[in-house]
């Protein structure tokens, strides 16, 4: 059994202030978490704002280095990646999907340029790709998310709906054939009628492409709907973890119970 | 319920607190000799009774915020009102928002009509203590002396379980939930008869959201005010709204009492909204709607939902379905429900 992602007793402390008024904030305290390579899954990370969810995501993506512990991806310590080539190889395997698609794309730049640039960057590792190869790769990624290149080509972000734009962002993340997506609140800015289409897309990506997804959210209902495992975080610590359905059907920790009770249920039956 | 009983009794006629009739408001832009109209509010009629919480639901860019702006009279170009009337009834006196002079509008604002905005950080001045915001917003409208004013503010904060000490803090010293509760206290300190709340809990996490909603509901019971409650989150409507109107592409497509809407919605868009809500303890697959929300600059002809509608008929792409009453307090705009015109 090999591990795709091994988060080993990781902690992150931010320090604030100058020499005399130094304060430190422990955003993440001692978290361990494993995702197996052979068993793709959707892992939900749930917690209130300020619980360290996004810091954990940044460490998985290698954007923040842990102050304690190690993040191993495919057996390699993320903190030890130094050279550009190694970093590119790592980034090809782990890709982010951001919260707000309207902020993720430059409003003055055509959306397809992000897709072509991503494809060109990652394909350059194996010789210079031709225009047709790049376009074929981009189109394949777009078809995966239910769009086509013809729909997206030449469009500016404001010409696409929020749902289309978030799908395009996911397609961009799929171009280098990653093994892990880190999605930080990917549906909180998407309209109600399109939210479920993004969530359903995640479960089909897991089933068809064997992709593991770390799904960060504070929406327990969608977490229950799509995820296999769940961890519930509070103040930088994991308070409860396990099979998503079991944890949410029958939460044990007082905080998890409080979270579940706070969910508004649209029940009139 | 009480108001309903009053409305039915023949001798007392209670005018609703808010009456909106055939309201149309467009954003008009002129560039390079081309005029474009964005029809953000298109022919909306609704009423809100005294003491009622009226929920407005719809996705982003469906015109919810434009609707609020036109209702409270906060209209800035390029938004302008093309037709229709908005009438408020405060204590038996009728105010037509578009007939009022600016200073008359100023006088009813905050005193009778107040507004809870989405981003609490943008309401409170970040470089001044919260008491200054209270003073700036509320003092001119209350007509009280300074000492009585501050007593009133402190009492009000205590009633909402907020420590009056928040008055001496800066906004950044408070957590998101505290800030939103302070904004709500600010909007309700003059005990207004009508409160507009625009996505008041959207930026908050679930536990804080529940607290804030409970607080809003308590205030509403306490003051007996009417609420116009806008959010895209259907589960919030299920918790707070008495009646919900669904807005799609600038039009009201369905309106009913909340239980009716959730149990037996008739418009296909509402049915989809209700059915697509995920629930803990239920893993059945939720379908998603195909297509994209229409552009308000160039909406589809006829019913604006027809390109995405599973029940679309020929007539739907030609004629606009009127909002028809199909049961008491239940209106729907859909030919598949009300029958096509002959």
């Amino acid at each position: 059994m090999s591990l795709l992602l091994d988060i080993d007793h990781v902690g992150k402390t931010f320090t604030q202030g100058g020499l005399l008024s130094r304060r430190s904030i422990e955003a993440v305290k001692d978290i361990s978490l494993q995702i197996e390579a052979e068993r793709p899954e959707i892992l939900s990370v749930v917690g209130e704002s300020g619980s360290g969810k996004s810091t954990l995501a940044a460490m998985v993506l290698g954007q923040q280095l842990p102050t304690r512990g190690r993040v191993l991806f495919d057996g390699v310590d993320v903190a030890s990646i130094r050279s550009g080539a190694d970093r590119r190889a790592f980034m090809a395997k782990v890709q982010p999907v951001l919260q707000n698609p309207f902020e993720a794309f430059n409003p003055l730049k055509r959306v397809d340029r992000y897709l072509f640039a991503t494809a060109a960057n990652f394909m350059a590792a194996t010789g210079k790709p031709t225009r047709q190869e790049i376009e074929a790769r981009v189109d394949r990624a777009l078809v995966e998310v239910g769009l086509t290149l013809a729909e997206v080509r030449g469009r500016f972000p404001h010409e696409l709906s929020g749902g289309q734009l978030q799908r395009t962002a996911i397609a961009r993340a799929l171009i280098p054939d990653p093994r892990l997506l880190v999605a930080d609140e990917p549906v909180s800015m998407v309209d109600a009628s399109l939210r479920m289409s993004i969530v359903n897309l995640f479960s089909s990506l897991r089933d068809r492409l064997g992709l593991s997804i770390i799904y960060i959210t504070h929406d327990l209902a969608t977490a229950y709907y799509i995820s296999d495992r769940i961890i519930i975080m509070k103040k930088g610590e994991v308070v409860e973890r396990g099979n998503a359905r079991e944890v949410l059907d029958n939460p044990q920790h007082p905080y998890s119970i409080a979270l579940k009770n706070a969910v508004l249920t649209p029940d009139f039956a | 319920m009480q108001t309903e009983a009053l409305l039915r009794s023949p001798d007392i006629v209670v005018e609703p607190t808010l009456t909106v009739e055939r309201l149309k408001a467009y954003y008009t832009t002129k560039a390079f000799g081309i005029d474009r109209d964005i029809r953000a509010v298109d022919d909306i009629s609704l009423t809100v009774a005294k003491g009622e919480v009226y929920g407005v639901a719809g996705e982003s860019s469906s015109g919810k915020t434009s609707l609020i702006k036109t209702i409270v009279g906060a209209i800035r170009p390029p938004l302008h009102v093309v037709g229709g009337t908005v009438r408020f009834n405060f204590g038996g006196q009728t105010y037509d928002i578009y007939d009022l002079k600016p200073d008359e509008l100023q006088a009813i604002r905050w005193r009778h009509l107040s507004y809870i905005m989405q981003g609490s950080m943008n309401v409170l001045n970040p470089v001044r203590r919260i008491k200054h915001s209270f003073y700036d917003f509320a003092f001119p409208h209350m007509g009280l002396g300074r000492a009585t004013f501050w007593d009133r503010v402190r009492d009000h904060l205590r009633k909402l379980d907020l420590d009056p000490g928040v008055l001496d803090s800066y906004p950044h010293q408070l957590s998101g939930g505290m800030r939103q509760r302070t904004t709500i206290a600010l909007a309700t300190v003059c005990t207004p008869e009508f409160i507009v709340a625009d996505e008041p809990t959207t930026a908050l996490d679930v536990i804080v959201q529940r607290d804030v909603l409970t607080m809003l509901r308590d205030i509403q019971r306490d003051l007996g005010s009417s609420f116009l409650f806008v959010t895209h989150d259907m589960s919030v409507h299920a918790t707070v709204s008495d009646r919900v109107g669904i807005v799609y592409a600038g039009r009201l497509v369905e309106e009913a009492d909340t239980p009716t809407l959730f149990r037996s919605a008739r418009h296909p868009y509402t049915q989809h909204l209700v059915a697509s809500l995920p629930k803990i303890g239920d893993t059945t697959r939720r379908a998603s709607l195909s297509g994209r929300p229409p552009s308000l600059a160039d909406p589809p002809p006829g019913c604006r939902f027809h390109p995405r509608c599973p029940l679309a008929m020929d007539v739907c792409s030609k004629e606009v379905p009127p909002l028809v009453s199909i049961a008491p307090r239940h209106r729907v705009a859909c030919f598949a429900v009300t029958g096509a015109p002959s």
Side-chain angles (χ1 to χ4, degrees):
Chain A
M1 182 190 85
S2 66
L3 293 173
L4 178 68
L5 180 72
D6 184 6
I7 300 178
D8 182 21
H9 295 283
V10 154
K12 176 79 190 175
T13 310
F14 292 103
T15 45
Q16 214 179 30
L19 204 57
L20 297 171
S21 60
R22 179 154 304 189
R23 282 199 303 156
S24 56
I25 295 158
E26 270 192 291
V28 173
K29 304 172 193 164
D30 194 37
I31 285 187
S32 295
L33 184 69
Q34 283 81 32
I35 293 178
E36 283 172 33
E38 284 84 36
R39 234 182 35 211
E41 63 175 330
I42 298 178
L43 173 79
S44 289
V45 180
V46 178
E48 60 193 344
S49 16
S51 61
K53 305 187 297 275
S54 296
T55 309
L56 183 67
M59 287 193 287
V60 172
L61 288 167
Q63 291 166 343
Q64 295 273 1
L65 295 181
T67 39
R68 229 191 7 253
R70 292 184 308 165
V71 177
L72 298 172
F73 184 81
D74 243 353
V76 179
D77 189 344
V78 172
S80 72
I81 297 171
R82 289 276 182 273
S83 76
D86 286 351
R87 178 145 290 273
R88 251 199 300 284
F90 167 70
M91 287 187 342
K93 296 287 164 225
V94 183
Q95 280 283 326
V97 176
L98 303 177
Q99 176 171 11
N100 188 345
F102 290 98
E103 284 173 10
F105 292 103
N106 181 342
L108 300 177
K109 214 164 142 178
R110 292 177 205 277
V111 173
D112 54 359
R113 287 189 45 197
Y114 286 94
L115 301 171
F116 293 138
T118 307
N121 280 340
F122 285 110
M123 291 165 85
T126 53
K128 196 166 162 45
T130 64
R131 189 76 195 164
Q132 282 80 16
E133 281 169 359
I134 291 178
E135 288 195 2
R137 182 82 167 248
V138 169
D139 193 43
R140 204 177 71 209
L142 284 168
V143 168
E144 249 7 298
V145 301
L147 292 168
T148 56
L149 185 54
E151 280 175 79
V152 174
R153 191 194 291 272
R155 298 291 196 98
F156 285 100
H158 72 266
E159 294 177 294
L160 298 170
S161 72
Q164 281 177 315
L165 211 52
Q166 192 61 292
R167 280 165 184 276
T168 313
I170 295 169
R172 191 213 57 80
L174 292 179
I175 285 172
D177 288 329
R179 315 239 336 252
L180 179 66
L181 283 190
V182 180
D184 194 351
E185 304 262 9
V187 293
S188 63
M189 301 301 291
V190 177
D191 291 332
S193 70
L194 299 164
R195 176 168 304 167
M196 291 322 285
S197 73
I198 301 282
V199 170
N200 285 337
L201 171 65
F202 280 139
S203 42
S204 89
L205 288 177
R206 173 196 58 194
D207 298 341
R208 281 184 297 126
L209 304 182
L211 207 62
S212 287
I213 297 166
I214 295 181
Y215 174 64
I216 298 174
T217 185
H218 59 244
D219 180 3
L220 289 184
T222 52
Y224 184 91
Y225 177 66
I226 58 162
S227 52
D228 304 296
R229 270 199 300 162
I230 192 168
I231 64 173
I232 297 177
M233 285 179 74
K234 191 195 180 191
K235 298 201 173 125
E237 283 173 290
V238 175
V239 296
E240 192 159 352
R241 64 167 81 207
N243 178 297
R245 306 269 151 86
E246 283 165 20
V247 168
L248 290 176
D249 280 334
N250 191 11
Q252 297 298 321
H253 190 276
Y255 179 70
S256 322
I257 296 170
L259 256 185
K260 190 187 168 186
N261 288 341
V263 173
L264 307 169
T265 41
D267 243 343
F268 283 92
Chain B
M1 282 297 120
Q2 242 178 7
T3 36
E4 217 186 318
L6 281 174
L7 281 169
R8 284 210 201 91
S9 73
D11 11 300
I12 316 164
V13 181
V14 177
E15 208 192 319
T17 306
L18 169 68
T19 313
V20 177
E21 269 168 14
R22 315 216 61 166
L23 186 65
K24 290 182 185 178
Y26 299 167
Y27 290 88
T28 307
T29 51
K30 293 190 170 98
F32 308 112
I34 301 167
D35 289 8
R36 286 212 314 171
D37 276 343
I38 313 282
R39 294 178 208 167
V41 178
D42 208 0
D43 210 358
I44 287 186
S45 303
L46 58 90
T47 58
V48 180
K50 186 168 164 31
E52 187 184 33
V53 180
Y54 187 95
V56 176
E59 45 208 342
S60 32
S61 72
S62 61
K64 299 191 300 286
T65 302
S66 307
L67 175 65
I68 295 177
K69 283 185 180 159
T70 42
I71 284 176
V72 301
I75 300 153
R76 305 263 179 286
L79 180 65
H80 65 118
V81 173
V82 177
T85 54
V86 175
R87 281 198 317 275
F88 283 99
N89 170 31
F90 297 130
Q93 209 175 341
T94 308
Y95 298 88
D96 187 326
I97 280 281
Y98 304 126
D99 276 352
L100 294 176
K101 295 187 187 70
D103 56 324
E104 289 170 335
L105 190 59
Q106 193 73 29
I108 66 162
R109 278 214 186 123
W110 229 257
R111 185 73 196 82
H112 298 286
L113 167 67
S114 81
Y115 191 2
I116 300 168
M117 275 156 273
Q118 182 168 12
S120 51
M121 203 62 195
N122 307 334
V123 179
L124 302 167
N125 188 336
V127 297
R128 302 189 79 200
R129 291 180 201 274
I130 289 184
K131 61 181 174 195
H132 293 294
S133 295
F134 268 89
Y135 188 84
D136 292 347
F137 274 97
F139 185 72
H141 296 285
M142 308 248 300
L144 300 171
R146 260 165 217 257
T148 10
F149 171 72
W150 288 119
D151 283 347
R152 178 81 72 84
V153 169
R154 287 202 185 88
D155 280 351
H156 186 66
L157 288 173
R158 268 187 222 110
K159 216 161 59 193
L160 303 180
D161 286 328
L162 281 163
D163 179 5
V166 296
L167 289 174
D168 288 315
S169 341
Y170 287 98
H172 70 263
Q173 292 174 313
L174 305 178
S175 67
M178 278 286 265
R179 236 173 9 233
Q180 192 63 44
R181 280 153 47 138
T182 310
T183 332
I184 292 168
L186 181 59
T188 51
V189 68
C190 305
T191 61
E193 284 109 314
F194 197 91
I195 299 168
V196 177
D198 186 5
E199 305 262 9
T201 60
T202 302
L204 307 173
D205 64 66
V206 280
I207 291 181
V208 184
Q209 164 168 304
R210 169 135 283 191
D211 289 350
V212 170
L213 290 178
T214 313
M215 175 179 165
L216 274 173
R217 199 74 232 215
D218 289 348
I219 295 179
Q220 192 265 335
R221 291 220 178 94
D222 216 36
L223 304 180
S225 322
S226 313
F227 261 71
L228 189 66
F229 198 98
V230 178
T231 176
H232 68 271
D233 190 338
M234 290 301 282
S235 43
V236 172
H237 282 305
T239 318
V240 293
S241 304
D242 298 323
R243 203 147 59 101
V244 180
I246 308 285
V247 175
Y248 185 80
R251 282 174 189 280
L252 204 56
V253 295
E254 183 158 14
E255 180 195 76
D257 288 330
T258 314
T260 317
L261 193 89
F262 278 88
R263 268 194 229 117
S264 48
R266 300 298 301 276
H267 197 280
Y269 178 63
T270 321
Q271 286 172 343
H272 164 76
L273 275 186
V274 173
S276 71
L277 281 172
K279 260 186 293 196
I280 292 181
D282 182 359
T283 56
T284 45
R285 195 175 159 78
R286 298 285 191 271
S288 46
L289 207 56
S290 60
R292 53 179 294 196
S295 147
L296 293 173
D298 182 24
C303 172
R304 290 177 179 182
F305 187 60
H306 84 262
R308 301 168 79 188
C309 183
L311 309 175
M313 302 176 288
D314 277 351
V315 62
C316 298
S317 56
K318 290 176 196 120
E319 280 181 59
V320 178
L323 195 62
V324 178
S325 208
I326 57 161
R329 293 163 68 83
H330 192 171
R331 295 190 292 166
V332 182
C334 180
F335 288 132
V337 176
T338 60
S342 46

